[in-house]
Amino acid sequence: FDEYHGESMYTGAEALKLLQEKDLLQDLEGRKIVRLSNGKTVMVVKSDGSSLYITRDIGAILDRRKRYNFDKLIYVVDNAQASHFNNLFDVVHLLGHQWSSSCQHCRFGKILGMSTRKGTMVFLDSLVEEATTRMLENQAKTKTTRVTEAEAESAASTLGISALIVNDFKHRRTKDYKFSWENARNP
């Protein structure tokens, strides 16, 4: 990527101004909401006046369109955000931007038990190291291993990485799954 630029770089002020100009903002007990095409509502300002993730994302998507004039915009984010992106694209459409139909949420499932927020994430280098170690152990136990001692580490790394890839690809992209070393070793 040439640039990393998240929604947190935006206040949402420009988005709120546009929503107000298009008469899309409604007041509900001090909160600002937008009524979507499907009749549901989405809150864009809390009663204390603070913006929400979607407010900043509206500002971000409008800025990205202005800066990059993209043909297609793809958000690669896990399944849990599906509703958010449906709402985001609908709000952009309500603002009169027909290009909202060229925006897409590419969903993927999560590896259950791994969470950066909970501190239970296992990083790729740790997975590869563990996979290599397990493959070296398997080579040592197997009488049919046909690699020299000098080749063992490289072969174990290749096999370990291959096992991790096959294990990940055997699951549907959009489904959550629980990682298991046993499953990774037996694709």
Side-chain angles (χ1 to χ4, degrees), residues 27-177:
D27 190 70
L28 179 67
E29 300 172 5
R31 297 173 292 175
K32 300 290 184 192
I33 62 167
V34 174
R35 186 160 306 281
L36 301 173
S37 302
N38 61 11
K40 294 181 181 178
T41 60
V42 63
M43 183 175 23
V44 292
V45 178
K46 295 193 277 186
S47 59
D48 67 3
S50 58
S51 67
L52 295 158
Y53 183 57
I54 192 161
T55 319
R56 296 182 299 273
D57 239 349
I58 296 166
I61 197 171
L62 295 173
D63 181 60
R64 289 175 184 136
R65 175 63 178 194
K66 189 185 315 180
R67 289 170 52 182
Y68 303 116
N69 195 28
F70 54 79
D71 293 322
K72 186 171 210 158
L73 179 62
I74 302 171
Y75 288 87
V76 182
V77 184
D78 77 81
N79 289 327
Q81 300 299 318
S83 177
H84 169 78
F85 287 107
N86 287 337
N87 294 345
L88 173 64
F89 303 151
D90 194 13
V91 169
V92 172
H93 180 77
L94 291 170
L95 283 169
H97 299 294
Q98 298 306 310
W99 52 262
S100 64
S101 63
S102 67
C103 300
Q104 178 183 345
H105 174 211
C106 180
R107 305 175 309 145
F108 60 86
K110 293 187 277 190
I111 302 174
L112 301 173
M114 291 191 188
S115 169
T116 52
R117 289 185 180 159
K118 294 178 182 173
T120 57
M121 178 59 66
V122 178
F123 291 98
L124 184 59
D125 58 346
S126 299
L127 282 173
V128 170
E129 187 177 313
E130 178 68 20
T132 301
T133 299
R134 286 174 181 254
M135 291 302 153
L136 281 169
E137 290 169 0
N138 286 347
Q139 286 175 3
K141 291 179 194 174
T142 306
K143 294 178 183 178
T144 57
T145 299
R146 290 189 171 85
V147 292
T148 66
E149 203 169 310
E151 298 170 318
E153 181 81 25
S154 176
S157 176
T158 300
L159 288 170
I161 291 169
S162 298
L164 291 170
I165 291 169
V166 169
N167 181 62
D168 196 47
F169 282 175
K170 74 180 179 184
H171 302 281
R172 289 182 179 228
R173 176 181 53 84
T174 58
K175 298 289 183 190
D176 296 345
Y177 72 91

